[in-house]
Amino acid sequence: MGYRLLPWILLTSLIFSANHSVAALGNIGFYYGSEAPVNALMAYDWLVLQPPQVSQSRLTTLSEAGVETLAYVSLGEIARSHRLFGAFPETGLMTDNPAWNSRVLDLRREDVRQILQNQLIEPAFEAGFQGVFLDTLDSYQLTEAGQTHPNAFLEAQAELIRTIRDKHPSARIVINRGFDLPEDTHSQVDALAFESYREGFDPARKRYRAVPETDREWLDRQLNHWRQAHPEKPLIAIDYIQDPDAAGTLAQQLRADGFIPYVSNPQLTRLGPTQPGRVKREVLVIQDSPSTLLSQSSAHRYAAVPLEELGYIPVYRHVGEPLPDEPLADRYAGILIWWEVGARSQKLCRWLKQHQATGLPVVTLGLLPADPACQSLTRAPEWAVPTPPLTYSERQSSVGQYESQRLPVVSGVALPEPEAGRFWLTVTDREGQRFHPIYTHDGGGVAVAPYLFEPGPEDQLYWLFDPIAFLDEAFGHPDFPASDVTTESGRLILTSHIDGDGFVSRAEVPGNPLAAQVIMDDILQAYNLPHTVSVIEAETSPDGIYPKTSAEAEQLARQIFRLDNVEVASHSFSHPFFWQIVAEDGKRELPVFAEYGYSLNVPEYTPELEREVAGSIRYINRKLTPPGKSVQVFLWTGDALPTEAALRKVREAGLANVNGGDTHPLPYDSELAGVWPIARPVGDELQIYAPVMNENVYTNLWQGPYYGFRDVVDTFRLLEARGRLKPLSLYYHFYSGSKPAALGALHTVYDYAMSQPTTQLYLSQYADRARTAYRSALMRDDGGQYHWRGVGQPHTVRIDPHHQFPDLTNSQGVAGYRDAAGKRFVHLAGNNPKLMLSDRPPSGPYLREANAVITHWSRSEKNKRWHITLGFAGHQPVNFILDNTSNCRVLDGPKTQFNKMKNAVAVRLTLKHVDSLALECR
C-alpha cells in the first residue's frame, strides 16, 4: 500500500462470507502509532495494529472491549530496518524500493513464504491478534519477473492466504488491493481495502492531493468485479487529508460512495472519524514530580479526582519522557500540566503552545516556570511578584469559601497579570498592581501556587477554591454523561473487604481464639452483606511461618470461604512490602533500605511474582475453597504499588485487582485533597484503588487507639457531603478481631453502614465498574444518543442535575434516575444501553432506586397503561421504588408487596434474584 498500514483496523459491521459469519461492519481504523490511549481505539470494530508496537495487555483489553485486532503484515516487500530483514535469503530479495528503503520479496520461493508464515503471521496469532491485514500485494510489479510472469506471484500469494485460512479458519483476513488475485482467493478473505479514492498523498512530492477523476474511474473498474462477485463483503476506502477538521466530511462522502471509510494522515497516526462519533473524554496530564512514582505526584493525587468527577479519564506523562509526536486533538479533550518543580522547560512549553493554538485547552497548575514560552500559555503578558500587604476582591463564589477561608498573606512568587479572562480572584498589592492567580481563558485555565491550597500540619492540604468547577470551566463545560462508580440503581454502593493480615493472631478475649474466628462469628455471620475475604498463604499454610497453627487456620479459612456471603480473594504468598522490587524470577538482588525486611520472613525465600500471585491463587483454590468457588480478587499488600508486570500477572490469572490509594478524608484532616482517584494506570495495565482506606490509618498504624476505625464514619459522611465521591467501603484486616476495642469499632461502622440505603456489591463487582469507567469509549450519534464500547458497560452515569433528564422513550436499557448528593444518577441496564437526554422530566413510571443490580428493564404504553418488565440480582431481598405512578399490579412473576407513596410505589419481594417481573402501572 502507498503508506504502509502497520496499524489498527476497526470495522463496525460486516456480513461474513460463506465459510464463516461476519457481523455488520461500521468502523475500521488503521493506526501506525503507539501513543493513543487504548480507550480511543475501542471506537472501532476492527483495528489493524503493528505487532511490535502493541503490548499484550493492550491486545487483551481491546479484545475484551469487542474490538477485533488485525496484525499488519507486508507480504510483498521487507524494509531494511525490519528485525527480520536478515532472516530472508539474499536470493529471496529482489528489486529495491527506494521510496521505502525496502526490497521486494520473491514470494514464489517456499522458504520466503515460510519465514513470513512462521516468523510474522503465526507469532501475531499467538500474541492474540484475531486476524491479519496483508499489504504490499502489488510490490511484485516493481520487478521484471513480476511484469513478465505475474501469475506466478499471484499464485504464491494465493497459496499463502490459503495457508492462513487453513490454519485459522475463523481469522479475519483483509487484503490491500490484490485486485488480480484468483477468485477462489477472494472468497477466502473478509474485506478488500484500497487507498486514495477521493483524497490522497504523493509520497514523492510529500504533499496531499485530490485524486484525479481518471484515477477514481480506474479504481471503480477494479472494484466493480468485487461488488458483483462479493456484495456481502465490505470495501474499505483509506483516504488521506491534511486538515483534520475536514476528515469527518470526507468520511461521510466515502460512506455515501458505499465504502467503509478511514480518513487519516499518510503516517496513519491520526485517528480517523467514526460513526457514531467518539466523545473525547481523555485528558493528557503532564507532571514534573521529582519522584518517578506517579502515585506521589500532585497531578495524580489532586487533579485526577476533579477530572474523574467531570467524566474525564487522565492519561499521564512525565516531563522527563519524550514529548508525544503524534496528533493530540484527535484523542484528547485537553491537556493539564501540574508544575511541582517548575524547572525551565522551554521546549515543552513551546510544544504545549502549538497544541493550544489548534484549539486544545491547556490548563496550567502549580509553580509555573518563569520561561516566557511557559508564561505565554497563560495568556498573561506580564508576571510580577506583588508587594505586600495584599488585598483580595472579585472572588468567584468558591474562592476562600470551599475548604479554607485563609488566603495567602504574601505570595512570594510571580503572579500573572492577564489582560482578559474569567477571573476567579483579584489580588491587589501595595502599589495598586492587580494580579489574577486563578482564572480561565479561551485557551484553558491557570491556578498558581500558593493559591491552590492552604497547607496544614503533617502534610494536610485544604483547597482554596472548588477545583471541579474550575476544571469544568477551563475545559469548556463538558456536556456528556460521566461514568459513575459510587452508585448502583440509585443507591450508594456498599462493599466490604478484609486483608488477610492477622488471620492467626490470638484475640484478647477468653479462650484466645484466632482473630479470624472472632471476625467470622461477630462480623461475617452477624452482618448478612457481601464480603470479599483474603488470606496470606504464608500465614495459613503448613509451609509458611506458622506451621503449628496451620491446621487450625486452614480449617477456619475453609469455613469462612463456605459462607454464602463471602467472595474469595488472595492477599499474596509472603505479603511483599514493596512491589517495585519484586522480580518476575525472584533473582533480583534486593536493596538495603527496609530494616524490617521486604515481606513476611519466609525462610530461604525471596519474593517473586509467579509465586506471590499465581502460586497463592493455586494454594487457595486447591486447599481452601469449596466446590464451585474460586479466587476472584487479588488484594495488593504492603505499599500497594504494583508494577506493570505484577498487574499483568493478576490480569492473566483472570482476577480483579484492588487496594492502594489512601482515601481517608476527615473533618480535621485533608478533605477533598485526602481523596484518591479511582485507579492508577501503569503502562497498559490498571490498578484499582481501594475506595476508602482501612483501619490501619485510623489507628496510627495499629499503635492505637484501637477504636480509631469508628472515625471512618466521619469519612463516609464527608465523602457524601462533598458530592458522593466514593462508595461506602468497609475495609480492614483480620487483626481487628484481636482487640476488643477494634472489634467494637467494627460494630459501630457496620451498624452505620447497615442503616444507610445502599446497594450491596462484592468488591469484584465494584472493580468491574471501576475498570469500565477507565476502559471504555463513549459514542454519540448524530441524533444525540449515547452508548458505550469497552470492557463492560457502565451501570450508572451522572448527568447535569439542573438541565438534563433521561429521555426514557428514546433510550434503551435506561430504567430511571435519582437525585442525591447534589448529582443526578441515571440507571443503566443490559449489555447495550443507549441514553438519550432531554430537558424535561420523563413521562410515565420510572425506577427511582433499588437495592439490587438491574439486570433488565423495558417499558411500553398501551391504552394509557404502562407495561414494565424488569429483573434484579442482589444480595438482599429485592426492594425498589417506581416514581411517576400511583398504582401497579403484577402481570407475571414472583409474589410482590406494594406500598403506595406520594406519586410513587414501593415494591418489596422475598427473593434476592428476579429474572423477570412484569408489571402494569398507571
Side-chain angles (χ1 to χ4, degrees):
M1 123 179 240
Y3 260 81
R4 282 181 181 65
L5 295 181
L6 320 168
W8 357 307
I9 258 191
L10 298 146
L11 276 128
T12 336
S13 62
L14 248 151
I15 304 170
F16 227 133
S17 54
N19 50 352
H20 47 294
S21 65
V22 174
L25 176 65
N27 293 299
I28 185 168
F30 298 83
Y31 175 65
Y32 284 13
S34 60
E35 298 173 352
V38 68
N39 296 26
L41 308 183
M42 294 176 183
Y44 305 98
D45 302 304
W46 292 3
L47 185 62
V48 176
L49 297 164
Q50 228 178 342
Q53 294 183 315
V54 187
S55 71
Q56 183 64 57
S57 171
R58 178 163 290 212
L59 276 179
T60 302
T61 301
L62 289 170
S63 178
E64 288 183 69
V67 178
E68 293 195 50
T69 53
L70 287 77
Y72 172 87
V73 179
S74 173
L75 288 189
E77 57 189 81
I78 184 80
R80 292 181 181 275
S81 60
H82 196 283
R83 61 182 179 83
L84 291 179
F85 183 82
F88 290 94
E90 179 61 31
T91 52
L93 300 173
M94 306 178 73
T95 305
D96 281 328
N97 183 349
W100 297 107
N101 193 25
S102 61
R103 292 184 68 178
V104 176
L105 292 171
D106 189 352
L107 280 184
R108 298 171 299 178
R109 294 173 56 109
E110 184 178 356
D111 56 352
V112 169
R113 295 197 302 273
Q114 286 182 345
I115 292 172
L116 289 169
Q117 182 70 41
N118 297 333
Q119 298 191 47
L120 279 179
I121 296 169
E122 289 306 315
F125 283 112
E126 291 168 6
F129 282 93
Q130 293 136 309
V132 289
F133 174 76
L134 305 179
D135 195 17
T136 62
L137 297 181
D138 295 347
S139 294
Y140 70 90
Q141 296 176 1
L142 298 174
T143 70
E144 182 179 349
Q147 295 169 10
T148 56
H149 300 94
N151 289 339
F153 289 89
L154 293 170
E155 180 52 41
Q157 292 177 5
E159 174 63 28
L160 190 51
I161 292 171
R162 281 195 297 269
T163 301
I164 297 171
R165 177 57 70 210
D166 289 344
K167 286 179 174 288
H168 306 281
S170 61
R172 302 295 187 218
I173 302 176
V174 178
I175 57 174
N176 185 32
R177 295 166 68 93
F179 301 130
D180 297 326
L181 282 168
E183 180 56 33
D184 63 343
T185 303
H186 284 171
S187 68
Q188 293 182 325
V189 304
D190 301 308
L192 174 73
F194 55 93
E195 298 170 272
S196 304
Y197 187 78
R198 291 193 173 274
E199 300 288 337
F201 183 80
D202 184 344
R205 298 183 179 181
K206 298 189 182 304
R207 68 182 186 184
Y208 293 88
R209 64 182 182 88
V211 175
E213 186 66 30
T214 53
D215 290 4
R216 189 158 44 253
E217 290 173 353
W218 180 88
L219 260 178
D220 279 332
R221 288 195 296 271
Q222 309 306 310
L223 298 175
N224 282 340
H225 168 75
W226 184 273
R227 289 190 176 102
Q228 295 170 7
H230 307 285
E232 78 286 3
K233 296 184 180 182
L235 290 167
I236 301 163
I238 305 158
D239 272 22
Y240 307 111
I241 194 168
Q242 185 170 12
D243 181 6
D245 293 334
T249 300
L250 176 57
Q252 290 178 353
Q253 190 173 16
L254 291 170
R255 285 188 188 276
D257 292 330
F259 307 125
I260 306 298
Y262 191 73
V263 180
S264 183
N265 57 2
Q267 297 80 19
L268 291 168
T269 55
R270 189 176 72 216
L271 303 184
T274 60
Q275 192 179 69
R278 179 180 62 85
V279 177
K280 290 178 286 189
R281 62 189 194 101
E282 286 73 32
V283 171
L284 180 62
V285 176
I286 302 175
Q287 48 97 5
D288 73 338
S289 168
S291 170
T292 58
L293 292 178
L294 172 66
S295 60
Q296 296 182 10
S297 71
S298 293
H300 180 61
R301 285 288 318 280
Y302 309 123
V305 170
L307 288 173
E308 291 173 346
E309 284 297 295
L310 294 170
Y312 290 124
I313 299 300
V315 179
Y316 300 97
R317 201 173 189 97
H318 193 275
V319 294
E321 299 177 67
L323 291 174
D325 59 5
E326 296 178 19
L328 298 185
D330 62 334
R331 59 201 69 174
Y332 293 114
I335 304 173
L336 183 150
I337 181 162
W338 193 307
W339 300 95
E340 293 186 68
V341 178
R344 292 175 64 87
S345 187
Q346 189 177 81
K347 181 179 179 182
L348 171 61
C349 289
R350 286 178 175 173
W351 176 86
L352 288 169
K353 183 67 175 176
Q354 290 173 358
H355 287 286
Q356 188 182 54
T358 68
L360 201 61
V362 176
V363 176
T364 59
L365 302 172
L367 298 168
L368 192 74
D371 191 288
C374 297
Q375 293 182 353
S376 69
L377 290 170
T378 66
R379 305 290 170 87
E382 299 293 334
W383 285 64
V385 178
T387 305
L390 309 179
T391 59
Y392 297 104
S393 60
E394 295 185 66
R395 298 187 187 185
Q396 189 265 2
S397 60
S398 72
V399 177
Q401 302 293 325
Y402 190 64
E403 291 182 346
S404 173
Q405 298 180 3
R406 297 195 296 183
L407 294 168
V409 177
V410 295
S411 170
V413 297
L415 298 182
E417 301 177 66
E419 296 175 341
R422 295 170 290 278
F423 304 139
W424 281 45
L425 178 66
T426 297
V427 180
T428 304
D429 73 354
R430 186 179 64 187
E431 309 300 327
Q433 282 187 288
R434 292 162 62 88
F435 306 88
H436 302 285
I438 311 166
Y439 62 100
T440 63
H441 53 80
D442 58 4
V446 179
V448 181
Y451 289 89
L452 283 82
F453 303 105
E454 177 199 346
E458 298 182 357
D459 298 324
Q460 295 171 14
L461 294 174
Y462 304 94
W463 279 98
L464 289 169
F465 58 92
D466 182 348
I468 302 170
F470 172 76
L471 291 179
D472 178 51
E473 187 173 285
F475 284 122
H477 300 291
D479 185 22
F480 55 84
S483 291
D484 183 83
V485 301
T486 69
T487 303
E488 185 82 21
S489 308
R491 292 189 178 183
L492 184 64
I493 290 172
L494 170 59
T495 67
S496 177
H497 73 282
I498 308 175
D499 283 353
D501 309 54
F503 190 99
V504 298
S505 297
R506 291 295 174 180
E508 297 173 2
V509 298
N512 298 120
L514 296 183
Q517 181 75 56
V518 175
I519 294 296
M520 182 180 74
D521 295 342
D522 283 41
I523 302 296
L524 299 179
Q525 293 182 322
Y527 297 95
N528 186 25
L529 59 86
H531 292 83
T532 300
V533 181
S534 68
V535 296
I536 303 168
E537 180 184 346
E539 281 199 356
T540 59
S541 167
D543 299 324
I545 57 177
Y546 304 115
K548 292 182 179 179
T549 59
S550 174
E552 181 184 5
E554 288 190 334
Q555 181 58 32
L556 181 55
R558 293 185 191 103
Q559 288 180 261
I560 291 173
F561 290 152
R562 280 198 296 267
L563 296 176
D564 289 340
N565 65 330
V566 167
E567 174 180 67
V568 183
S570 169
H571 202 41
S572 81
F573 168 63
S574 72
H575 195 286
F577 303 145
F578 309 101
W579 283 91
Q580 298 294 320
I581 61 173
V582 177
E584 292 195 62
D585 57 9
K587 297 179 181 179
R588 178 181 299 173
E589 183 176 345
L590 299 179
V592 180
F593 64 81
E595 295 180 2
Y596 53 89
Y598 305 95
S599 65
L600 297 180
N601 189 22
V602 179
E604 300 181 1
Y605 172 72
T606 300
E608 61 95 10
L609 288 181
E610 178 66 22
R611 184 68 186 87
E612 295 297 336
V613 178
S616 66
I617 295 167
R618 283 193 299 269
Y619 160 74
I620 296 170
N621 285 340
R622 291 174 180 175
K623 298 200 66 177
L624 303 181
T625 57
K629 265 192 178 182
S630 61
V631 177
Q632 299 297 308
V633 183
F634 192 90
L635 298 174
W636 299 110
T637 64
D639 66 357
L641 289 173
T643 61
E644 185 174 10
L647 286 160
R648 183 174 62 248
K649 285 283 185 185
V650 173
R651 175 181 53 77
E652 290 173 346
L655 306 188
N657 84 87
V658 181
N659 272 358
D662 191 18
T663 294
H664 66 285
L666 288 164
Y668 51 84
D669 204 334
S670 298
E671 297 185 9
L672 181 59
V675 180
W676 282 60
I678 296 168
R680 177 179 72 112
V682 186
D684 279 329
E685 301 289 350
L686 188 68
Q687 175 188 2
I688 307 300
Y689 284 140
V692 178
M693 272 302 281
N694 54 56
E695 85 281 45
N696 199 39
V697 300
Y698 292 88
T699 58
N700 297 309
L701 304 183
W702 201 239
Q703 298 300 308
Y706 295 112
Y707 56 76
F709 192 43
R710 66 191 185 188
D711 289 347
V712 76
V713 173
D714 289 332
T715 293
F716 296 150
R717 288 172 174 150
L718 196 154
L719 290 167
E720 187 74 3
R722 281 282 180 233
R724 190 169 289 182
L725 299 176
K726 294 289 180 182
L728 204 164
S729 175
L730 314 181
Y731 170 29
Y732 55 98
H733 301 80
F734 273 112
Y735 53 65
S736 275
S738 68
K739 302 283 186 181
L743 185 63
L746 282 183
H747 282 293
T748 298
V749 173
Y750 269 85
D751 290 344
Y752 171 80
M754 297 297 285
S755 72
Q756 304 301 302
T758 61
T759 298
Q760 302 170 4
L761 299 180
Y762 281 123
L763 191 65
S764 64
Q765 294 177 289
Y766 168 77
D768 288 344
R769 285 148 181 75
R771 189 163 181 243
T772 295
Y774 261 72
R775 292 290 184 257
S776 60
L778 175 61
M779 315 294 288
R780 185 181 187 274
D781 67 21
D782 294 339
Q785 190 178 69
Y786 293 96
H787 75 274
W788 293 262
R789 288 176 54 91
V791 179
Q793 293 287 326
H795 288 229
T796 301
V797 295
R798 301 186 301 269
I799 59 175
D800 183 346
H802 305 293
H803 307 290
Q804 294 178 334
F805 298 89
D807 180 347
L808 300 188
T809 300
N810 295 301
S811 297
Q812 172 184 303
V814 178
Y817 72 96
R818 184 189 178 198
D819 291 347
K823 297 177 178 177
R824 179 159 292 158
F825 299 94
V826 178
H827 329 316
L828 308 181
N831 295 324
N832 188 27
K834 297 180 179 180
L835 173 63
M836 181 73 79
L837 298 178
S838 172
D839 58 0
R840 296 182 180 182
S843 60
Y846 64 86
L847 184 72
R848 180 202 300 178
E849 61 183 274
N851 69 340
V853 176
I854 311 163
T855 58
H856 174 75
W857 169 272
S858 64
R859 71 169 199 165
S860 60
E861 185 182 18
K862 185 177 181 181
N863 298 327
K864 297 185 178 181
R865 294 179 182 271
W866 291 92
H867 288 222
I868 298 172
T869 304
L870 65 173
F872 292 103
H875 297 280
Q876 302 291 334
V878 172
N879 65 76
F880 60 94
I881 297 175
L882 293 175
D883 260 342
N884 243 15
T885 185
S886 58
N887 191 14
C888 295
R889 69 184 183 95
V890 176
L891 296 178
D892 184 43
K895 184 178 179 180
T896 303
Q897 176 185 336
F898 296 98
N899 293 312
K900 291 185 179 180
M901 305 169 65
K902 184 179 179 180
N903 196 34
V905 173
V907 185
R908 292 186 176 274
L909 295 87
T910 59
L911 302 175
K912 298 179 183 179
H913 296 263
V914 180
D915 291 332
S916 180
L917 173 63
L919 303 176
E920 182 183 77
C921 299
R922 54 186 173 86

